[in-house]
């Protein structure tokens, strides 16, 4: 690809449609990664324009340019350090005043801004018309009307950003009144004379951020002791003055003047009410009256979740059968190879391991599609709003709902971005309780285990099992959070404030792209990490081989049966001999497996895990699951493939395996749901908190899970399950 002629950043508030606009611009030509050294997601793509290829960066959604969260700091640092040719500020037209608050901060930083007035159709459906030309004149920047979900105005917004008449960075000047303007002037002059960060930030912007008590900016000034002292003295003096005369602080006064500036613009003919539509009720409010009702809302939410699982299992059954048939054909094809380690590796390691995971891809994709629809339609935010009332009882914050949902509160998520999402919580203790309990959710890596066991032991109730295991994850997380918030993480709760975005119909492209992004991550992991672990576990189950003196009796008896087979002509007699030979081969494999490295390790801890109903084969799978939960299914498949001579369905093989019953299945589902986070999640917890808390999550989660699994198994056995 040729070098990009320009870099344009997309910025805006969360839920303004920024990512939808990004997808509409870049389509499949986008890359998702992380900012260097930071766990915040970075998205970039390329768009072919008449003048050449344009690099587009989708910045994290932010409400402010003050670094309250890591996302806001990342967005600000990118704009300041990378200095793109311009930004497209995606605005939710239905909340124009609030969205323009961020715009004003961009303009004060000096960056060339193009406004993308998104969702103008939703605004006008309420009977309000916006004069985009008037807004452009008053704010002196390009304004383009867009509907990102349909692609309307998307490329026009990019073209406007590329041809913005103001190419140099020219900061906007706003008066902040007689109390702040004098000290702002003094601070600006002081910074300019010192030449402090002159090539990076506008001096007045630095003064504003210092008055707003931006901790990152204040730390920058610590490099110049004398300048920092004088700035701090002036800021403290004006803060005392504002408190004494106005009963407020400078940062609140600055916010008031910014909103005043925005209001003065909007009152100059930008917004008009259409008389013929003035009495039209807001459809979102009507829907919310039902969906967020104190009684009806939670009932509808549970019905939606149950419906999602029902649709997933109903639609996914047929394509899942196709995938299983394909892997069975591959195993049959590989079975024609000469006996030996190579054939065992391919059939028992690669095909059984990876196939055991990829067999669930159709169900995973359907579930991801449903989750994406709930997110893009705006309903996910309503779930957070309703659950806030419950979360407060358990010492959590309403904003904890989002990390829980991302982690798999609706099955199919991932605990890594869920843990990262906890950084949006302002209270350190609520954040810590959230990121320690988010891994209790039913992430996409655990879902195949639940699907497998449901198919084996509850074949007619798959949706019900998934529904109950999801509720169990939420319940366990809340109970564990209450335990921690009442003991080791004591502290007051903070208020919950969250904007409910308007309902909107998701676009087909958005649904496909978001579903495929999640599905591809799952498939790619199966072809890389899971494949490597599956081969490693196969090797641990194969080596060291059975000692010759132990294998010799089996081999001699098998050789004798084969000789009898060659001489025998009767069909019935040959059948008996073949059955005897198969039984001997099975016993030999079983003996070899028990003497392998993995077998010995699994047997070493079996006296303890037997309390929860887990045999040594299951122990091997659970130990591998600490690295990645996806390998639990593949390891179980490998273990039972090595010890089963019949070519039967994996779920049926588990259901008929010795030592398995309904109590074991339920106990295992609970343990897998709750025990130690996978290695990548542990690293994420360490980055967000500390390695001490990461180690605590491994020990506490495993102990908590084992206690519940043991109680479940013992209760189930006493009831005759």
């Amino acid at each position: 690809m040729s070098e990009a002629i320009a870099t344009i950043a997309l910025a805006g508030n969360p839920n303004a449609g920024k990512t939808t606009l990004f997808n509409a611009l870049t389509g499949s030509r986008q890359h998702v990664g992380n900012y260097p050294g930071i766990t915040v997601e970075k998205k970039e793509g390329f768009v072919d324009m008449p003048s050449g290829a344009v690099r587009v960066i989708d910045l994290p959604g932010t409400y402010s340019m003050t670094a309250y969260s890591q996302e806001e700091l990342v967005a600000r640092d990118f704009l300041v350090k990378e200095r793109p040719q311009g930004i497209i500020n995606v605005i939710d037209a239905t909340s124009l005043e609030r969205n323009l608050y961020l715009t004003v901060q961009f303009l004060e930083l000096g960056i060339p801004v193009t406004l993308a007035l998104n969702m103008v159709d939703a605004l006008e459906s309420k009977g309000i018309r916006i004069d985009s030309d008037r807004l452009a004149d008053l704010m002196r920047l390009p304004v383009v009307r867009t509907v990102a979900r349909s692609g309307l105005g998307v490329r026009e917004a990019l073209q406007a950003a590329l041809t913005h008449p103001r190419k140099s960075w020219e900061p906007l000047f706003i008066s902040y009144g007689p109390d702040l303007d004098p000290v702002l002037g003094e601070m600006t002059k002081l910074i300019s004379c010192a030449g402090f960060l002159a090539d990076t930030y506008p001096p007045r912007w630095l003064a504003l951020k210092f008055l707003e008590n931006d901790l990152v900016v204040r730390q920058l000034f610590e490099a110049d002791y004398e300048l920092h002292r004088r700035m701090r003295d002036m800021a403290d003096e004006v803060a005392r003055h504002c408190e004494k005369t106005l009963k407020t602080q400078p940062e609140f006064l600055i916010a008031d003047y910014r909103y005043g500036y925005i209001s003065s613009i909007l009152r100059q003919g930008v917004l008009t009410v259409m008389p013929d539509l003035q009495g039209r009720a807001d459809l979102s409010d009507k829907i919310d009256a039902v969906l967020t009702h104190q009684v009806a809302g939670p009932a509808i939410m549970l019905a939606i979740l149950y419906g999602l699982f029902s649709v997933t299992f109903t639609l996914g059954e047929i394509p899942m059968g196709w995938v299983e048939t394909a892997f069975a054909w591959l195993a049959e094809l590989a079975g024609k190879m000469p006996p030996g380690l190579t054939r065992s590796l391919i059939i028992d390691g690669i095909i059984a391991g990876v196939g055991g995971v990829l067999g669930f891809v159709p169900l995973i994709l359907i579930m991801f599609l449903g989750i994406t629809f709930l997110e893009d339609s705006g309903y996910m935010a309503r779930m957070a709003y309703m659950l806030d009332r419950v979360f407060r009882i358990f010492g959590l914050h309403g904003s904890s709902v989002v990390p829980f949902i991302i982690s798999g509160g609706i099955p199919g998520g991932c605990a890594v971005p869920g843990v990262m999402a906890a950084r949006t919580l302002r209270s350190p203790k609520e954040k810590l309780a959230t990121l320690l309990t988010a891994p209790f959710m039913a992430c996409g890596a655990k879902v195949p285990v639940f699907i497998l066991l449901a198919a084996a032991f509850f074949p007619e109730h798959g949706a019900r099992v998934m529904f109950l295991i999801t509720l169990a994850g939420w319940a366990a997380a809340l109970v564990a959070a209450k335990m921690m918030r009442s003991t080791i993480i004591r502290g007051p709760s903070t208020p919950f404030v969250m904007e409910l975005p308007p309902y909107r119909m998701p676009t087909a492209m958005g649904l496909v792209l978001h579903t495929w992004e999640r599905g591809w991550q799952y498939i790619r992991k199966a072809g890389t990490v899971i494949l490597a672990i599956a081969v490693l576990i196969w090797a641990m189950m194969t080596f060291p081989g059975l000692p010759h003196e132990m294998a010799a009796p089996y081999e001699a008896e098998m050789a004798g049966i084969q000789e009898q087979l060659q001489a025998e002509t009767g069909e019935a007699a040959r059948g008996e001999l073949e059955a005897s030979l198969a039984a001997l081969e099975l016993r030999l494999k079983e003996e070899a497996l028990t003497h392998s490295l993995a077998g010995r390790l699994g047997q070493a801890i079996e006296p303890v895990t037997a309390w929860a109903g887990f045999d040594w084969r299951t122990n091997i799978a659970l130990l591998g699951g600490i690295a990645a939960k996806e390998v639990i299914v593949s390891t179980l498949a490998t273990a039972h493939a090595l010890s089963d001579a019949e070519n039967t369905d994996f779920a049926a093989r588990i259901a008929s395996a010795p030592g398995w019953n309904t109590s074991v299945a339920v106990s295992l589902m609970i343990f897998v749901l709750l025990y130690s986070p996978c290695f990548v999640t542990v690293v994420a917890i360490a980055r967000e908190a500390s390695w001490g808390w990461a180690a605590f999550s491994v020990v506490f989660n495993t102990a908590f899970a084992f206690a519940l699994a043991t109680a479940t198994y013992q209760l189930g056995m006493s009831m005759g399950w």
Side-chain angles (χ1 to χ4, degrees):
M1 179 184 295
S2 59
E3 187 176 348
I5 61 167
T7 296
I8 300 294
L10 301 183
N13 291 175
N15 301 313
K18 178 174 55 63
T19 300
T20 304
L21 190 143
F22 174 74
N23 289 335
L25 276 174
T26 61
S28 61
R29 298 180 62 188
Q30 56 181 256
H31 172 72
V32 181
N34 284 336
Y35 288 90
I38 302 175
T39 52
V40 174
E41 187 178 78
K42 176 183 181 181
K43 289 185 177 181
E44 64 176 85
F46 292 86
V47 184
D48 290 326
M49 298 294 287
S51 53
V54 179
R55 178 174 173 242
V56 179
I57 305 294
D58 183 15
L59 294 178
T62 60
Y63 290 108
S64 169
M65 278 289 96
T66 299
Y68 290 120
S69 67
Q70 196 168 15
E71 282 83 357
E72 291 167 345
L73 180 60
V74 163
R76 188 172 81 185
D77 283 352
F78 177 85
L79 294 175
V80 171
K81 295 176 182 178
E82 299 290 333
R83 296 182 77 88
Q85 281 67 30
I87 64 171
I88 298 176
N89 183 195
V90 183
I91 296 288
D92 179 356
T94 63
S95 302
L96 191 58
E97 184 175 19
R98 179 185 53 75
N99 278 246
L100 285 175
Y101 186 83
L102 181 62
T103 308
V104 169
Q105 294 182 76
F106 286 145
L107 294 174
E108 287 185 308
L109 189 57
I111 188 169
V113 175
T114 296
L115 279 188
L117 282 178
N118 198 33
M119 295 181 279
V120 288
D121 55 338
L123 179 67
E124 293 180 350
S125 70
K126 297 181 179 181
I128 302 174
R129 180 176 286 120
I130 183 168
D131 188 337
S132 54
D133 293 335
R134 180 64 174 159
L135 181 62
D137 290 340
L138 292 170
M139 298 198 73
R140 298 178 183 177
L141 48 72
V143 177
V144 181
R145 300 161 67 90
T146 64
V147 181
R149 59 188 177 87
S150 66
L152 177 67
V154 169
R155 291 184 70 86
E156 289 80 356
L158 182 58
Q159 183 61 39
L162 290 172
T163 57
H164 194 300
R166 182 164 60 85
K167 295 299 181 184
S168 60
W169 284 39
E170 300 174 7
L172 171 70
F173 181 94
I174 296 177
S175 172
Y176 287 100
D179 295 287
L180 296 186
D181 277 350
V183 71
L184 273 174
E186 290 181 37
M187 284 181 162
T188 302
K189 184 177 180 181
L190 197 61
I191 296 169
S192 299
C193 292
F196 186 74
L197 298 175
D199 297 331
T200 309
Y201 301 98
R204 194 169 190 270
W205 184 88
L206 285 173
L208 270 172
K209 290 301 163 188
F210 202 100
L211 284 182
E212 287 183 283
N213 201 28
D214 187 302
L215 296 180
V216 175
V217 168
R218 288 204 169 200
Q219 286 173 359
L220 292 176
F221 277 89
E222 292 175 0
D224 188 324
Y225 174 79
E226 181 60 25
L227 178 61
H228 179 258
R229 184 189 63 78
R230 295 180 65 182
M231 293 281 290
R232 186 188 59 211
D233 290 345
M234 285 189 283
D236 291 345
E237 176 61 31
V238 76
R240 286 192 294 269
H241 171 75
C242 289
E243 180 63 34
K244 182 178 179 179
T245 59
L246 304 173
K247 300 298 182 184
T248 188
Q249 290 297 312
E251 55 262 41
F252 302 130
L253 200 58
I254 290 170
D256 288 342
Y257 272 90
R258 283 189 183 132
Y259 275 117
Y261 171 79
I262 295 167
S263 179
S264 68
I265 289 175
L266 298 183
R267 285 200 299 265
Q268 298 182 56
V270 174
L271 297 175
T272 56
V273 178
M274 293 181 274
D276 55 328
L277 296 175
Q278 189 169 2
R280 179 181 293 181
D282 188 340
L283 181 60
S284 287
D285 291 340
K286 283 185 174 181
I287 298 174
D288 280 340
V290 177
L291 294 186
T292 61
H293 188 271
Q294 285 190 344
V295 177
I300 294 172
M301 179 180 69
L302 293 176
I304 289 174
L305 292 179
Y306 187 78
L308 172 63
F309 302 140
S310 298
V311 170
T312 297
F313 280 90
T314 301
L315 296 182
E317 186 176 352
I318 295 176
M320 196 167 111
W322 296 341
V323 177
E324 289 176 349
T325 301
F327 277 98
W329 175 80
L330 286 175
E332 184 179 348
L333 191 66
K336 297 177 181 179
M337 298 173 60
L341 286 177
T342 303
R343 187 176 78 166
S344 176
L345 170 61
I346 294 174
I347 297 176
D348 301 326
I350 297 174
I351 295 178
V354 177
V357 175
L358 291 183
F360 300 102
V361 165
L363 289 179
I364 297 294
L365 288 177
I366 294 171
M367 191 172 291
F368 283 170
L369 181 64
I371 293 167
T372 300
F373 183 89
L374 294 178
E375 289 176 340
D376 292 355
S377 66
Y379 183 70
M380 198 77 82
R382 271 74 184 176
M383 291 181 62
Y385 170 75
M386 287 185 289
L387 290 171
D388 172 59
R389 294 190 289 267
V390 178
F391 272 46
R392 292 188 188 201
I393 299 172
F394 294 92
L396 292 173
H397 189 270
S399 295
S400 303
V401 175
V402 176
F404 278 15
I405 290 174
I406 293 173
S407 298
I410 297 181
C414 176
V416 175
V419 166
M420 289 158 49
R423 66 167 64 109
T424 58
L425 278 80
R426 298 288 189 254
S427 166
K429 294 188 176 181
E430 289 173 341
K431 171 186 173 181
L432 183 58
T434 300
L435 61 87
L436 289 175
T437 52
F440 284 162
M441 300 297 109
C443 70
K446 302 173 186 175
V447 168
V449 183
F450 306 143
I451 294 174
L452 167 68
L453 297 176
F457 295 94
F458 308 96
E460 304 299 324
H461 306 286
R464 189 175 302 171
V465 169
M466 282 301 304
F467 181 67
L468 292 175
I469 203 71
T470 300
L471 295 184
W474 284 89
L478 293 177
V479 170
K482 184 66 174 178
M483 291 167 57
M484 288 186 280
R485 292 285 279 137
S486 302
T487 54
I488 58 176
I489 317 179
R490 286 195 186 96
S493 298
T494 55
F496 172 69
V497 179
M498 183 177 185
E499 180 191 354
L500 298 182
Y503 291 101
R504 58 180 70 97
M505 182 58 66
T507 64
M509 176 178 287
L511 288 174
V512 170
L513 283 175
H514 292 158
T515 301
W516 176 245
E517 283 175 3
R518 290 171 166 172
W520 176 242
Q521 288 176 359
Y522 181 84
I523 295 169
R524 184 175 56 187
K525 203 170 184 180
T528 54
V529 176
I530 297 171
L531 174 60
I533 297 175
V535 172
L536 176 62
I537 292 175
W538 168 85
M540 292 176 64
M541 292 179 176
T542 305
F543 301 102
L546 196 64
H548 177 71
E549 60 273 13
M550 297 184 67
Y554 291 101
E555 293 171 351
E557 191 173 353
M558 289 164 60
I561 294 176
Q562 287 172 344
E563 289 178 3
Q564 293 179 49
L565 268 173
Q566 293 175 358
E568 185 60 57
T569 57
E571 186 174 340
R574 286 183 63 85
E576 291 180 5
L577 289 171
E578 287 174 352
S580 298
L581 182 62
L584 275 173
E585 289 177 346
L586 177 59
R587 287 167 56 192
L588 178 60
K589 285 185 176 182
E590 183 85 16
E591 194 72 28
L593 185 58
T594 58
H595 281 77
S596 68
L597 178 60
R600 292 172 184 176
L601 186 59
Q603 291 173 82
I605 62 175
E606 189 177 32
V608 176
T609 62
W611 298 348
F614 307 152
D615 65 9
W616 57 275
R617 289 193 192 87
T618 304
N619 293 342
I620 298 171
L622 293 174
L623 290 171
I626 296 176
K629 292 294 185 291
E630 292 93 338
V631 305
I632 295 175
V633 169
S634 62
T635 306
L636 281 173
T638 302
H640 287 273
L642 286 170
S643 60
D644 194 335
E646 298 180 5
N647 182 21
T648 57
D649 174 71
F650 184 27
R653 206 156 67 226
I654 287 291
S656 60
W660 282 84
N661 55 43
T662 303
S663 296
V664 174
V666 176
S667 171
L668 182 58
M669 282 193 277
I670 290 175
F671 188 78
V672 170
L673 177 70
L674 304 177
Y675 88 113
S676 171
C678 68
F679 178 73
V680 180
T681 304
V682 171
V683 173
I685 293 173
R687 288 180 178 178
E688 297 297 329
S690 69
W691 279 107
W693 284 113
F696 172 83
S697 72
V698 173
V699 175
F700 174 80
N701 290 20
T702 303
F704 186 59
F706 187 72
L708 290 180
T710 300
T712 301
Y713 173 71
Q714 298 297 337
L715 179 63
M717 293 299 291
S718 67
M719 297 175 64
W721 289 358

